[in-house]
């Protein structure tokens, strides 16, 4: 299967319009306070959407990301902040399946479905192993992924999956129309979303592109088993960023884990 998520992160115009969902930010600030964490490692920091509110609230963040483009966007924002605040963020170009940072953290976070970019069990376990090496003794890990929705999965397994249309408008002039067709391979549990994206200015089509995004769908017990294999103990599980309990129909699986003694 072709791995082409890189396309999503290369074009920041597309990424920042389509993936800007600020409603999870209060969750991350709140949970970091509840866990009394100070030094945080964010895996897949992206353009710093979560890291910036965290450093603005007094936390220290080290963010790693595989995409130089995303890190450059984060760095250009960081540079324009007050020195006392910007010094609380360090950005590092690294792969989450294999990295070494010369310090340990009391919290590691993987936000916004980033863990779903890891498509194989080997990569998923390598990432958890790396995290364990970078956690303090009493440190926590939080991973935020989708909870599988069987209606969506069953449609994505049909021969002619439905097209799902999204419309994004910016001011009076600019519009993006995105049509998604998803296909789910039950043998790998990987979901491929093929999107046709049209950019309009003042009603005229100015650009059109085809984007493929592939993510692994984690079933709840699978997530728990992966954690157990790497000797993490599950502490709590939420079903969304409102701290609701995890249930069958929850949109998310947000797991909080700790290394076993
Ligand atoms: C959905 S974005 C999340 C960005 C940010 N955490 C947020 O919540 O807005 C996922 C990020 O993970 C990064 N990423 C994907 N695969 C990665 C890997 N193997 N190692 C490190 N970063 C990776 C992408 O470049 C992208 O910036």
């Amino acid at each position: 299967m072709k791995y082409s998520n890189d396309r999503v992160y290369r074009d920041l115009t597309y990424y920042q319009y389509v993936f800007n969902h600020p409603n999870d930010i209060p969750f991350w600030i709140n949970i970091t306070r509840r866990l009394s964490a100070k030094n945080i490692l964010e895996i897949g920091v992206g353009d710093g959407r979560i890291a910036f509110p965290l450093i603005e609230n007094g936390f220290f963040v080290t963010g790693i990301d595989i995409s130089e483009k995303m890190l450059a966007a984060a760095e250009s924002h960081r540079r324009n902040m007050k020195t006392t605040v910007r010094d609380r963020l360090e950005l590092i170009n690294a792969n989450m399946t294999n990295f070494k940072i010369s310090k340990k953290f009391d919290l590691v976070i993987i936000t916004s479905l980033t863990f779903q970019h890891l498509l194989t069990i080997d990569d998923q376990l390598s990432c958890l192993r790396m995290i364990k090496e970078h956690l303090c003794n009493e440190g926590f890990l939080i991973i935020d992924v989708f909870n599988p929705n069987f209606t969506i999965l069953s449609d994505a397994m049909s021969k002619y999956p439905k097209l799902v249309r999204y419309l994004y408008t910016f001011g009076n002039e600019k519009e993006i129309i995105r049509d998604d067709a998803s296909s789910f391979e039950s043998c790998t549990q990987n979901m491929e979303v093929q999107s046709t994206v049209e950019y309009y200015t003042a009603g005229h089509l100015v650009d059109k592109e085809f984007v493929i995004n592939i993510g692994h769908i984690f079933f709840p017990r699978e997530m728990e088993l992966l954690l157990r294999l790497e000797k993490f103990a599950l502490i709590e599980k939420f079903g969304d960023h409102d701290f609701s309990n995890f249930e069958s129909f929850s949109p998310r699986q947000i797991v909080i884990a700790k290394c076993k003694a």
Side-chain angles (χ1 to χ4, degrees):
M1 184 183 277
K2 192 152 52 110
Y3 180 77
S4 49
N5 289 346
D6 181 48
R7 175 68 195 86
V8 178
Y9 300 120
R10 253 187 300 139
D11 184 344
L12 280 196
T13 320
Y14 172 78
Y15 174 81
Q16 286 174 336
Y17 283 152
V18 175
F19 289 91
N20 194 11
H21 307 296
N23 50 356
D24 56 351
I25 291 169
F27 170 84
W28 290 107
I29 293 172
N30 198 327
I31 193 75
T32 305
R33 286 208 182 106
R34 280 196 202 185
L35 298 175
S36 305
K38 196 85 191 128
N39 290 302
I40 302 147
L41 171 62
E42 185 181 357
I43 306 241
V45 66
D47 59 356
R49 189 182 66 83
I50 309 272
F52 288 120
L54 285 172
I55 62 169
E56 277 157 2
N57 278 274
F59 302 107
F60 291 81
V61 178
T62 297
I64 67 163
D65 205 287
I66 201 166
S67 159
E68 287 178 12
K69 193 98 184 230
M70 296 298 271
L71 289 172
E75 177 53 27
S76 76
H77 185 96
R78 195 190 77 90
R79 232 180 284 128
N80 291 323
M81 300 178 98
K82 275 203 323 222
T83 324
T84 47
V85 179
R86 74 170 176 233
D87 287 352
R88 291 201 281 264
L89 175 63
E90 187 184 4
L91 298 165
I92 299 173
N93 188 204
N95 188 333
M96 63 174 135
T97 60
N98 186 13
F99 63 91
K100 190 156 185 59
I101 303 169
S102 58
K103 61 181 166 191
K104 296 215 173 194
F105 300 87
D106 38 31
L107 173 63
V108 176
I109 61 175
I110 316 187
T111 68
S112 311
L113 322 173
T114 298
F115 196 63
Q116 293 186 227
H117 281 314
L118 300 178
L119 304 182
T120 65
I121 295 177
D122 281 347
D123 279 352
Q124 293 151 7
L125 291 177
S126 295
C127 178
L128 292 177
R129 254 192 313 277
M130 290 294 122
I131 291 168
K132 220 168 48 184
E133 282 175 19
H134 290 84
L135 265 181
C136 301
N137 276 346
E138 291 296 310
F140 293 95
L141 161 66
I142 311 179
I143 305 180
D144 172 12
V145 292
F146 272 138
N147 187 27
N149 175 319
F150 286 87
T151 310
I152 294 174
L153 294 186
S154 127
D155 182 61
M157 286 182 78
S158 75
K159 200 165 172 195
Y160 302 105
K162 271 190 250 145
L163 274 190
V164 184
R165 173 160 284 195
Y166 299 89
L167 177 67
Y168 307 90
T169 46
F170 313 98
N172 301 328
E173 287 267 289
K174 295 197 170 193
E175 261 186 354
I176 295 181
I177 297 177
R178 188 179 110 211
D179 286 312
D180 284 0
S182 304
S183 61
F184 178 64
E185 270 187 1
S186 60
C187 50
T188 57
Q189 289 178 215
N190 292 334
M191 173 85 107
E192 177 171 308
V193 182
Q194 302 191 348
S195 311
T196 307
V197 191
E198 294 181 337
Y199 298 83
Y200 290 86
T201 301
H204 296 288
L205 181 68
V206 290
D207 201 2
K208 185 171 176 167
E209 62 180 347
F210 185 64
V211 179
I212 297 179
N213 195 6
I214 306 168
H216 185 78
I217 303 295
F218 289 97
F219 284 84
R221 290 298 172 102
E222 174 188 6
M223 193 55 137
E224 290 181 23
L225 285 170
L226 286 171
L227 291 169
R228 277 195 199 189
L229 273 173
E230 285 306 325
K231 309 264 182 296
F232 280 96
L234 183 66
I235 305 291
E236 202 159 8
K237 194 160 178 176
F238 298 114
D240 208 349
H241 301 112
D242 57 4
F243 291 92
S244 51
N245 288 333
F246 178 72
E247 292 168 357
S248 298
F249 294 101
S250 298
R252 309 290 265 225
Q253 299 181 65
I254 307 176
V255 295
I256 305 190
K258 223 175 167 177
C259 288
K260 283 186 184 156

